[in-house]
Short mmCIF file of all heavy atoms in Angstrom, two decimals:
data_model
loop_
_atom_site.label_atom_id
_atom_site.label_comp_id
_atom_site.label_asym_id
_atom_site.label_seq_id
_atom_site.Cartn_x
_atom_site.Cartn_y
_atom_site.Cartn_z
N MET A 1 10.20 -6.74 -5.13
CA MET A 1 8.82 -7.09 -4.73
C MET A 1 7.97 -7.29 -5.95
O MET A 1 7.92 -6.44 -6.82
CB MET A 1 8.32 -5.88 -3.90
CG MET A 1 6.86 -6.06 -3.44
SD MET A 1 6.17 -4.68 -2.54
CE MET A 1 7.21 -4.65 -1.09
N ALA A 2 7.36 -8.45 -6.03
CA ALA A 2 6.49 -8.73 -7.15
C ALA A 2 5.15 -8.03 -6.99
O ALA A 2 4.78 -7.61 -5.91
CB ALA A 2 6.27 -10.22 -7.24
N GLY A 3 4.45 -7.86 -8.05
CA GLY A 3 3.14 -7.21 -8.01
C GLY A 3 3.25 -5.76 -8.42
O GLY A 3 4.26 -5.31 -8.97
N LYS A 4 2.18 -5.02 -8.15
CA LYS A 4 2.18 -3.60 -8.53
C LYS A 4 1.33 -2.80 -7.56
O LYS A 4 0.41 -3.33 -6.92
CB LYS A 4 1.69 -3.44 -9.96
CG LYS A 4 0.30 -3.99 -10.22
CD LYS A 4 -0.04 -3.90 -11.70
CE LYS A 4 -1.36 -4.69 -11.99
NZ LYS A 4 -1.59 -4.75 -13.38
N PHE A 5 1.60 -1.54 -7.51
CA PHE A 5 0.81 -0.60 -6.71
C PHE A 5 -0.20 0.04 -7.62
O PHE A 5 0.14 0.52 -8.67
CB PHE A 5 1.72 0.47 -6.06
CG PHE A 5 2.59 -0.05 -5.00
CD1 PHE A 5 3.86 -0.45 -5.25
CD2 PHE A 5 2.14 -0.12 -3.68
CE1 PHE A 5 4.70 -0.94 -4.27
CE2 PHE A 5 2.99 -0.61 -2.66
CZ PHE A 5 4.25 -1.00 -2.97
N MET A 6 -1.47 0.08 -7.19
CA MET A 6 -2.55 0.72 -7.92
C MET A 6 -3.02 1.93 -7.14
O MET A 6 -3.59 1.77 -6.04
CB MET A 6 -3.69 -0.25 -8.14
CG MET A 6 -3.31 -1.54 -8.82
SD MET A 6 -2.96 -1.36 -10.55
CE MET A 6 -4.56 -1.06 -11.21
N LEU A 7 -2.73 3.11 -7.67
CA LEU A 7 -3.11 4.38 -7.02
C LEU A 7 -4.51 4.79 -7.53
O LEU A 7 -4.75 4.78 -8.69
CB LEU A 7 -2.09 5.46 -7.31
CG LEU A 7 -2.28 6.84 -6.70
CD1 LEU A 7 -2.34 6.77 -5.18
CD2 LEU A 7 -1.23 7.76 -7.17
N LYS A 8 -5.38 5.11 -6.55
CA LYS A 8 -6.76 5.51 -6.94
C LYS A 8 -7.19 6.76 -6.17
O LYS A 8 -6.71 7.06 -5.09
CB LYS A 8 -7.71 4.36 -6.58
CG LYS A 8 -7.42 3.11 -7.34
CD LYS A 8 -8.44 2.04 -6.98
CE LYS A 8 -8.12 0.73 -7.77
NZ LYS A 8 -9.18 -0.20 -7.65
N LYS A 9 -8.15 7.47 -6.78
CA LYS A 9 -8.77 8.61 -6.14
C LYS A 9 -10.20 8.25 -5.89
O LYS A 9 -10.96 7.91 -6.83
CB LYS A 9 -8.71 9.87 -7.03
CG LYS A 9 -9.20 11.12 -6.36
CD LYS A 9 -8.96 12.32 -7.25
CE LYS A 9 -9.35 13.61 -6.55
NZ LYS A 9 -9.09 14.77 -7.45
N GLY A 10 -10.63 8.27 -4.62
CA GLY A 10 -11.95 7.87 -4.23
C GLY A 10 -13.00 8.97 -4.47
O GLY A 10 -12.69 10.09 -4.82
N SER A 11 -14.25 8.61 -4.21
CA SER A 11 -15.37 9.53 -4.40
C SER A 11 -15.30 10.75 -3.46
O SER A 11 -15.87 11.77 -3.71
CB SER A 11 -16.68 8.81 -4.23
OG SER A 11 -16.79 8.25 -2.92
N THR A 12 -14.54 10.61 -2.37
CA THR A 12 -14.36 11.70 -1.42
C THR A 12 -13.26 12.67 -1.83
O THR A 12 -13.07 13.69 -1.17
CB THR A 12 -14.02 11.16 -0.03
OG1 THR A 12 -12.77 10.46 -0.09
CG2 THR A 12 -15.09 10.23 0.50
N GLY A 13 -12.54 12.30 -2.90
CA GLY A 13 -11.44 13.15 -3.36
C GLY A 13 -10.12 12.79 -2.75
O GLY A 13 -9.11 13.37 -3.03
N LYS A 14 -10.12 11.81 -1.83
CA LYS A 14 -8.89 11.35 -1.20
C LYS A 14 -8.27 10.20 -2.00
O LYS A 14 -8.95 9.53 -2.75
CB LYS A 14 -9.16 10.93 0.25
CG LYS A 14 -9.57 12.06 1.13
CD LYS A 14 -9.74 11.63 2.55
CE LYS A 14 -10.14 12.80 3.40
NZ LYS A 14 -10.23 12.45 4.83
N TYR A 15 -6.98 10.02 -1.78
CA TYR A 15 -6.24 8.99 -2.51
C TYR A 15 -5.91 7.79 -1.65
O TYR A 15 -5.77 7.93 -0.39
CB TYR A 15 -4.91 9.59 -3.02
CG TYR A 15 -5.10 10.70 -4.05
CD1 TYR A 15 -5.30 12.00 -3.62
CD2 TYR A 15 -5.07 10.46 -5.40
CE1 TYR A 15 -5.48 13.03 -4.54
CE2 TYR A 15 -5.25 11.44 -6.32
CZ TYR A 15 -5.45 12.74 -5.87
OH TYR A 15 -5.64 13.75 -6.78
N HIS A 16 -5.81 6.63 -2.24
CA HIS A 16 -5.34 5.42 -1.57
C HIS A 16 -4.73 4.53 -2.60
O HIS A 16 -4.85 4.76 -3.78
CB HIS A 16 -6.50 4.71 -0.83
CG HIS A 16 -7.45 4.01 -1.71
ND1 HIS A 16 -8.47 4.66 -2.37
CD2 HIS A 16 -7.51 2.72 -2.08
CE1 HIS A 16 -9.16 3.77 -3.09
NE2 HIS A 16 -8.58 2.58 -2.95
N PHE A 17 -3.99 3.53 -2.09
CA PHE A 17 -3.39 2.59 -3.04
C PHE A 17 -3.63 1.17 -2.55
O PHE A 17 -3.80 0.90 -1.39
CB PHE A 17 -1.91 2.86 -3.28
CG PHE A 17 -1.05 2.78 -2.05
CD1 PHE A 17 -0.54 1.55 -1.65
CD2 PHE A 17 -0.75 3.90 -1.29
CE1 PHE A 17 0.26 1.47 -0.50
CE2 PHE A 17 0.06 3.82 -0.19
CZ PHE A 17 0.58 2.62 0.23
N ASN A 18 -3.60 0.25 -3.50
CA ASN A 18 -3.64 -1.18 -3.24
C ASN A 18 -2.36 -1.77 -3.77
O ASN A 18 -1.81 -1.32 -4.78
CB ASN A 18 -4.80 -1.84 -3.98
CG ASN A 18 -6.13 -1.46 -3.44
OD1 ASN A 18 -6.29 -1.21 -2.24
ND2 ASN A 18 -7.15 -1.39 -4.27
N LEU A 19 -1.87 -2.72 -3.04
CA LEU A 19 -0.75 -3.56 -3.55
C LEU A 19 -1.37 -4.81 -4.10
O LEU A 19 -2.09 -5.54 -3.38
CB LEU A 19 0.23 -3.89 -2.43
CG LEU A 19 1.39 -4.79 -2.78
CD1 LEU A 19 2.21 -4.25 -3.95
CD2 LEU A 19 2.31 -5.05 -1.58
N VAL A 20 -1.18 -5.03 -5.42
CA VAL A 20 -1.83 -6.13 -6.09
C VAL A 20 -0.78 -7.18 -6.51
O VAL A 20 0.22 -6.82 -7.14
CB VAL A 20 -2.58 -5.57 -7.33
CG1 VAL A 20 -3.29 -6.71 -8.06
CG2 VAL A 20 -3.56 -4.49 -6.94
N ALA A 21 -1.05 -8.42 -6.16
CA ALA A 21 -0.14 -9.51 -6.50
C ALA A 21 -0.19 -9.80 -8.00
O ALA A 21 -1.09 -9.34 -8.68
CB ALA A 21 -0.52 -10.78 -5.73
N THR A 22 0.78 -10.56 -8.48
CA THR A 22 0.83 -10.85 -9.93
C THR A 22 -0.39 -11.64 -10.38
O THR A 22 -0.70 -11.58 -11.57
CB THR A 22 2.12 -11.64 -10.24
OG1 THR A 22 2.19 -12.80 -9.39
CG2 THR A 22 3.35 -10.81 -10.03
N ASN A 23 -1.10 -12.31 -9.48
CA ASN A 23 -2.31 -13.03 -9.85
C ASN A 23 -3.56 -12.15 -9.80
O ASN A 23 -4.68 -12.59 -10.01
CB ASN A 23 -2.53 -14.28 -8.99
CG ASN A 23 -2.83 -13.94 -7.51
OD1 ASN A 23 -2.88 -12.79 -7.14
ND2 ASN A 23 -3.01 -14.96 -6.71
N GLY A 24 -3.35 -10.85 -9.52
CA GLY A 24 -4.46 -9.91 -9.52
C GLY A 24 -5.17 -9.71 -8.19
O GLY A 24 -6.05 -8.86 -8.04
N GLN A 25 -4.78 -10.47 -7.17
CA GLN A 25 -5.36 -10.36 -5.84
C GLN A 25 -4.78 -9.18 -5.08
O GLN A 25 -3.60 -9.00 -5.03
CB GLN A 25 -5.13 -11.68 -5.06
CG GLN A 25 -5.79 -11.69 -3.72
CD GLN A 25 -5.59 -13.00 -3.00
OE1 GLN A 25 -4.85 -13.91 -3.47
NE2 GLN A 25 -6.20 -13.14 -1.87
N VAL A 26 -5.68 -8.42 -4.46
CA VAL A 26 -5.25 -7.28 -3.59
C VAL A 26 -4.70 -7.88 -2.32
O VAL A 26 -5.36 -8.66 -1.63
CB VAL A 26 -6.40 -6.32 -3.27
CG1 VAL A 26 -5.97 -5.28 -2.28
CG2 VAL A 26 -6.90 -5.67 -4.55
N ILE A 27 -3.43 -7.57 -1.98
CA ILE A 27 -2.82 -8.13 -0.77
C ILE A 27 -2.60 -7.07 0.29
O ILE A 27 -2.25 -7.44 1.42
CB ILE A 27 -1.52 -8.87 -1.10
CG1 ILE A 27 -0.52 -7.98 -1.85
CG2 ILE A 27 -1.83 -10.12 -1.94
CD1 ILE A 27 0.79 -8.65 -2.14
N ALA A 28 -2.77 -5.81 -0.03
CA ALA A 28 -2.69 -4.74 0.97
C ALA A 28 -3.40 -3.51 0.47
O ALA A 28 -3.42 -3.22 -0.77
CB ALA A 28 -1.22 -4.38 1.26
N THR A 29 -4.04 -2.76 1.37
CA THR A 29 -4.72 -1.52 1.08
C THR A 29 -4.22 -0.44 2.02
O THR A 29 -4.11 -0.70 3.23
CB THR A 29 -6.24 -1.70 1.21
OG1 THR A 29 -6.69 -2.73 0.32
CG2 THR A 29 -6.96 -0.41 0.90
N SER A 30 -3.94 0.73 1.51
CA SER A 30 -3.44 1.80 2.33
C SER A 30 -4.54 2.56 3.06
O SER A 30 -5.74 2.36 2.80
CB SER A 30 -2.67 2.80 1.46
OG SER A 30 -3.58 3.61 0.71
N GLU A 31 -4.12 3.45 3.91
CA GLU A 31 -5.05 4.41 4.52
C GLU A 31 -5.40 5.47 3.41
O GLU A 31 -4.82 5.42 2.31
CB GLU A 31 -4.35 5.12 5.66
CG GLU A 31 -3.09 5.93 5.24
CD GLU A 31 -2.39 6.56 6.43
OE1 GLU A 31 -2.98 7.43 7.07
OE2 GLU A 31 -1.25 6.14 6.70
N SER A 32 -6.28 6.40 3.72
CA SER A 32 -6.59 7.46 2.79
C SER A 32 -5.64 8.61 2.97
O SER A 32 -5.24 8.94 4.10
CB SER A 32 -8.01 7.99 3.02
OG SER A 32 -8.95 6.97 2.73
N TYR A 33 -5.30 9.26 1.86
CA TYR A 33 -4.36 10.38 1.87
C TYR A 33 -5.06 11.60 1.27
O TYR A 33 -5.87 11.46 0.35
CB TYR A 33 -3.12 10.07 1.04
CG TYR A 33 -2.28 8.96 1.62
CD1 TYR A 33 -2.46 7.64 1.23
CD2 TYR A 33 -1.26 9.22 2.51
CE1 TYR A 33 -1.67 6.63 1.72
CE2 TYR A 33 -0.46 8.19 3.02
CZ TYR A 33 -0.69 6.89 2.61
OH TYR A 33 0.11 5.90 3.09
N GLU A 34 -4.76 12.76 1.81
CA GLU A 34 -5.34 14.00 1.33
C GLU A 34 -4.87 14.39 -0.05
O GLU A 34 -5.59 15.05 -0.79
CB GLU A 34 -5.07 15.15 2.32
CG GLU A 34 -5.75 14.99 3.65
CD GLU A 34 -7.26 15.08 3.59
OE1 GLU A 34 -7.76 15.80 2.73
OE2 GLU A 34 -7.90 14.41 4.43
N SER A 35 -3.60 14.04 -0.37
CA SER A 35 -3.06 14.46 -1.65
C SER A 35 -2.39 13.27 -2.36
O SER A 35 -2.02 12.26 -1.72
CB SER A 35 -1.97 15.55 -1.45
OG SER A 35 -0.85 15.01 -0.80
N LYS A 36 -2.24 13.40 -3.66
CA LYS A 36 -1.57 12.39 -4.47
C LYS A 36 -0.14 12.27 -4.03
O LYS A 36 0.42 11.15 -3.93
CB LYS A 36 -1.67 12.74 -5.95
CG LYS A 36 -1.10 11.71 -6.86
CD LYS A 36 -1.34 12.06 -8.33
CE LYS A 36 -0.78 11.04 -9.25
NZ LYS A 36 -1.02 11.42 -10.68
N ALA A 37 0.49 13.40 -3.77
CA ALA A 37 1.92 13.39 -3.36
C ALA A 37 2.09 12.58 -2.07
O ALA A 37 3.07 11.82 -1.89
CB ALA A 37 2.43 14.79 -3.17
N ALA A 38 1.17 12.75 -1.13
CA ALA A 38 1.26 12.00 0.14
C ALA A 38 1.07 10.50 -0.10
O ALA A 38 1.78 9.69 0.51
CB ALA A 38 0.24 12.50 1.15
N ALA A 39 0.16 10.13 -0.97
CA ALA A 39 -0.04 8.72 -1.32
C ALA A 39 1.22 8.14 -1.99
O ALA A 39 1.62 6.98 -1.67
CB ALA A 39 -1.22 8.56 -2.25
N LEU A 40 1.85 8.89 -2.83
CA LEU A 40 3.05 8.42 -3.49
C LEU A 40 4.18 8.22 -2.47
O LEU A 40 4.99 7.27 -2.55
CB LEU A 40 3.51 9.37 -4.61
CG LEU A 40 2.59 9.42 -5.84
CD1 LEU A 40 2.99 10.53 -6.76
CD2 LEU A 40 2.58 8.06 -6.55
N LYS A 41 4.24 9.10 -1.47
CA LYS A 41 5.22 8.89 -0.37
C LYS A 41 4.93 7.67 0.40
O LYS A 41 5.84 6.93 0.84
CB LYS A 41 5.23 10.13 0.55
CG LYS A 41 5.94 11.34 -0.04
CD LYS A 41 5.94 12.49 0.95
CE LYS A 41 6.58 13.72 0.35
NZ LYS A 41 6.62 14.85 1.28
N GLY A 42 3.63 7.35 0.58
CA GLY A 42 3.26 6.11 1.26
C GLY A 42 3.71 4.87 0.52
O GLY A 42 4.20 3.92 1.10
N ILE A 43 3.56 4.94 -0.80
CA ILE A 43 4.02 3.81 -1.64
C ILE A 43 5.54 3.66 -1.50
O ILE A 43 6.04 2.55 -1.35
CB ILE A 43 3.63 4.05 -3.13
CG1 ILE A 43 2.14 3.88 -3.26
CG2 ILE A 43 4.41 3.07 -4.05
CD1 ILE A 43 1.59 4.33 -4.63
N GLU A 44 6.27 4.75 -1.54
CA GLU A 44 7.73 4.67 -1.44
C GLU A 44 8.14 4.11 -0.06
O GLU A 44 9.09 3.38 0.07
CB GLU A 44 8.35 6.04 -1.64
CG GLU A 44 8.35 6.48 -3.10
CD GLU A 44 8.96 5.42 -4.04
OE1 GLU A 44 10.07 4.90 -3.75
OE2 GLU A 44 8.33 5.11 -5.06
N SER A 45 7.40 4.46 0.99
CA SER A 45 7.66 3.95 2.29
C SER A 45 7.47 2.43 2.36
O SER A 45 8.30 1.71 2.94
CB SER A 45 6.76 4.62 3.36
OG SER A 45 7.00 4.10 4.63
N VAL A 46 6.40 1.93 1.76
CA VAL A 46 6.22 0.48 1.71
C VAL A 46 7.33 -0.20 0.95
O VAL A 46 7.89 -1.22 1.38
CB VAL A 46 4.82 0.14 1.13
CG1 VAL A 46 4.66 -1.36 0.87
CG2 VAL A 46 3.71 0.65 1.96
N ARG A 47 7.67 0.36 -0.18
CA ARG A 47 8.79 -0.19 -0.99
C ARG A 47 10.06 -0.28 -0.17
O ARG A 47 10.80 -1.24 -0.22
CB ARG A 47 9.04 0.62 -2.24
CG ARG A 47 8.03 0.43 -3.32
CD ARG A 47 8.41 1.25 -4.55
NE ARG A 47 7.54 0.91 -5.63
CZ ARG A 47 7.30 1.75 -6.64
NH1 ARG A 47 7.87 2.91 -6.69
NH2 ARG A 47 6.51 1.41 -7.62
N LYS A 48 10.36 0.78 0.58
CA LYS A 48 11.60 0.85 1.33
C LYS A 48 11.59 -0.07 2.54
O LYS A 48 12.60 -0.71 2.85
CB LYS A 48 11.82 2.29 1.80
CG LYS A 48 13.04 2.48 2.64
CD LYS A 48 13.14 3.95 3.12
CE LYS A 48 14.32 4.11 4.05
NZ LYS A 48 14.37 5.45 4.63
N ASN A 49 10.47 -0.18 3.26
CA ASN A 49 10.47 -0.83 4.54
C ASN A 49 9.92 -2.25 4.54
O ASN A 49 10.19 -3.02 5.48
CB ASN A 49 9.66 0.01 5.55
CG ASN A 49 10.30 1.33 5.81
OD1 ASN A 49 11.41 1.41 6.31
ND2 ASN A 49 9.63 2.39 5.45
N ALA A 50 9.20 -2.65 3.53
CA ALA A 50 8.53 -3.96 3.57
C ALA A 50 9.55 -5.08 3.57
O ALA A 50 9.32 -6.13 4.24
CB ALA A 50 7.57 -4.12 2.38
N ALA A 51 10.64 -4.99 2.89
CA ALA A 51 11.63 -6.07 2.83
C ALA A 51 12.28 -6.31 4.21
O ALA A 51 12.71 -7.41 4.48
CB ALA A 51 12.70 -5.71 1.83
N GLU A 52 12.25 -5.31 5.07
CA GLU A 52 12.87 -5.44 6.36
C GLU A 52 11.86 -5.67 7.49
O GLU A 52 12.20 -5.73 8.65
CB GLU A 52 13.68 -4.19 6.69
CG GLU A 52 14.80 -3.93 5.69
CD GLU A 52 15.47 -2.58 5.89
OE1 GLU A 52 15.27 -1.98 6.91
OE2 GLU A 52 16.22 -2.17 4.99
N ALA A 53 10.59 -5.82 7.12
CA ALA A 53 9.54 -5.94 8.14
C ALA A 53 9.67 -7.25 8.90
O ALA A 53 9.95 -8.29 8.32
CB ALA A 53 8.18 -5.84 7.47
N GLU A 54 9.45 -7.18 10.16
CA GLU A 54 9.48 -8.32 11.03
C GLU A 54 8.16 -9.08 10.97
O GLU A 54 7.09 -8.44 10.89
CB GLU A 54 9.73 -7.88 12.49
CG GLU A 54 9.71 -8.94 13.52
CD GLU A 54 9.88 -8.39 14.95
OE1 GLU A 54 10.12 -7.21 15.09
OE2 GLU A 54 9.71 -9.20 15.85
N LEU A 55 8.18 -10.36 11.05
CA LEU A 55 6.96 -11.19 11.11
C LEU A 55 6.64 -11.40 12.57
O LEU A 55 7.46 -11.89 13.34
CB LEU A 55 7.17 -12.50 10.44
CG LEU A 55 6.07 -13.53 10.65
CD1 LEU A 55 4.72 -13.03 10.05
CD2 LEU A 55 6.41 -14.85 10.03
N VAL A 56 5.43 -11.00 12.96
CA VAL A 56 4.94 -11.23 14.29
C VAL A 56 3.78 -12.24 14.18
O VAL A 56 2.69 -11.90 13.72
CB VAL A 56 4.46 -9.95 14.99
CG1 VAL A 56 3.94 -10.22 16.41
CG2 VAL A 56 5.59 -8.92 15.05
N ASP A 57 4.01 -13.48 14.55
CA ASP A 57 3.02 -14.51 14.44
C ASP A 57 2.15 -14.54 15.68
O ASP A 57 2.59 -14.88 16.75
CB ASP A 57 3.73 -15.89 14.28
CG ASP A 57 2.77 -17.02 14.02
OD1 ASP A 57 1.55 -16.79 14.09
OD2 ASP A 57 3.25 -18.13 13.69
N GLN A 58 0.86 -14.15 15.51
CA GLN A 58 -0.05 -14.10 16.62
C GLN A 58 -1.07 -15.23 16.58
O GLN A 58 -2.11 -15.20 17.22
CB GLN A 58 -0.79 -12.73 16.63
CG GLN A 58 0.17 -11.62 16.88
CD GLN A 58 -0.55 -10.27 16.97
OE1 GLN A 58 -1.58 -10.04 16.39
NE2 GLN A 58 0.05 -9.39 17.72
N THR A 59 -0.74 -16.28 15.82
CA THR A 59 -1.63 -17.40 15.77
C THR A 59 -1.33 -18.31 16.96
O THR A 59 -0.22 -18.35 17.48
CB THR A 59 -1.43 -18.23 14.49
OG1 THR A 59 -0.06 -18.70 14.43
CG2 THR A 59 -1.70 -17.37 13.25
N SER A 60 -2.33 -19.05 17.41
CA SER A 60 -2.11 -19.90 18.51
C SER A 60 -1.79 -21.32 17.97
O SER A 60 -2.26 -21.70 16.92
CB SER A 60 -3.37 -20.02 19.38
OG SER A 60 -4.48 -20.45 18.66
N GLY A 61 -1.00 -22.02 18.70
CA GLY A 61 -0.71 -23.40 18.32
C GLY A 61 0.55 -23.53 17.61
O GLY A 61 1.23 -23.97 17.02
#
């Protein structure tokens, strides 16, 4: 997977991450996590499952 994960701690003290493309554009944002460890598990889950994700096209036409 190209790009990088950017882990951040917000003003509320909760953690979230962005998946950033090689051109610098944010292409995904996570939910908020109570702990850094939980956010890191979220990143690992995306790494593991994204390659196998099904595409559901809900566009018309």
Side-chain angles (χ1 to χ4, degrees):
M1 178 183 295
K4 57 187 170 185
F5 290 93
M6 303 289 289
L7 180 61
K8 298 181 178 192
K9 186 174 183 179
S11 59
T12 62
K14 294 184 179 183
Y15 296 85
H16 73 278
F17 61 87
N18 292 326
L19 177 55
V20 181
T22 54
N23 67 359
Q25 183 177 6
V26 175
I27 56 176
T29 300
S30 74
E31 63 182 295
S32 294
Y33 295 91
E34 294 292 329
S35 68
K36 184 176 180 179
L40 291 172
K41 285 182 182 180
I43 290 170
E44 287 306 313
S45 178
V46 171
R47 283 183 173 156
K48 177 182 176 186
N49 296 298
E52 300 172 13
E54 177 184 353
L55 169 63
V56 178
D57 186 352
Q58 296 184 330
T59 60
S60 60

